Amino acid sequence: MSAEKFQVDQQESEESIQLHIRGELDLAAALTFRHALEEVVHRADKALILDVGQLRYIDSTGIGIVVSALKIRDELKAPFSVRNIPASIRKLFDLTGISGFLNEGIEGRA
């Protein structure tokens, strides 16, 4: 079984920082994801956007990191959103209750 390598690509504009995550976000990739978020999560001057359109899998460790980022951004009163959520990931977010915490921060595919 061949797992798709996890990657985080960052794009920054005047208004936002976008992290495009792809592959499989599991325990093995958690440190990479956490490090990428730590570099930008406290930057309240810009919206933080997670684009998960190419994310194939996320486990509880990855969900925990997303929840931690959400809490930090909430304390800073800084915008945070998750975009392009594949159906399988959205279902997992719904089942684990994370969707309720992200509220309007979640945008799905049309």
Side-chain angles (χ1 to χ4, degrees):
M1 187 170 158
S2 129
E4 184 180 345
K5 184 172 168 37
F6 180 77
Q7 289 183 296
V8 180
D9 297 314
Q10 181 177 325
Q11 277 185 312
E12 189 167 341
S13 69
E14 288 184 27
E15 302 84 30
S16 68
I17 299 168
Q18 292 187 42
L19 295 180
H20 299 270
I21 58 177
R22 69 185 64 181
E24 297 187 0
L25 178 46
D26 56 13
L27 184 59
L31 188 59
T32 300
F33 183 47
R34 184 174 282 121
H35 179 71
L37 270 175
E38 284 175 353
E39 292 187 8
V40 297
V41 74
H42 293 285
R43 295 205 33 209
D45 60 316
K46 297 184 181 205
L48 179 57
I49 301 165
L50 290 183
D51 186 319
V52 296
Q54 294 183 31
L55 188 63
R56 300 292 160 243
Y57 173 81
I58 186 170
D59 70 3
S60 60
T61 305
I63 290 173
I65 295 168
V66 172
V67 170
S68 294
L70 173 67
K71 288 178 181 178
I72 291 168
R73 299 297 287 183
D74 187 53
E75 288 173 9
L76 295 171
K77 301 198 183 329
F80 179 76
S81 63
V82 179
R83 294 189 179 163
N84 300 318
I85 303 170
S88 60
I89 304 295
R90 177 176 289 285
K91 185 175 183 177
L92 187 58
F93 282 178
D94 290 345
L95 287 171
T96 59
I98 191 174
S99 297
F101 290 105
L102 293 175
N103 290 325
E104 296 177 36
I106 286 189
E107 297 177 15
R109 290 184 180 175

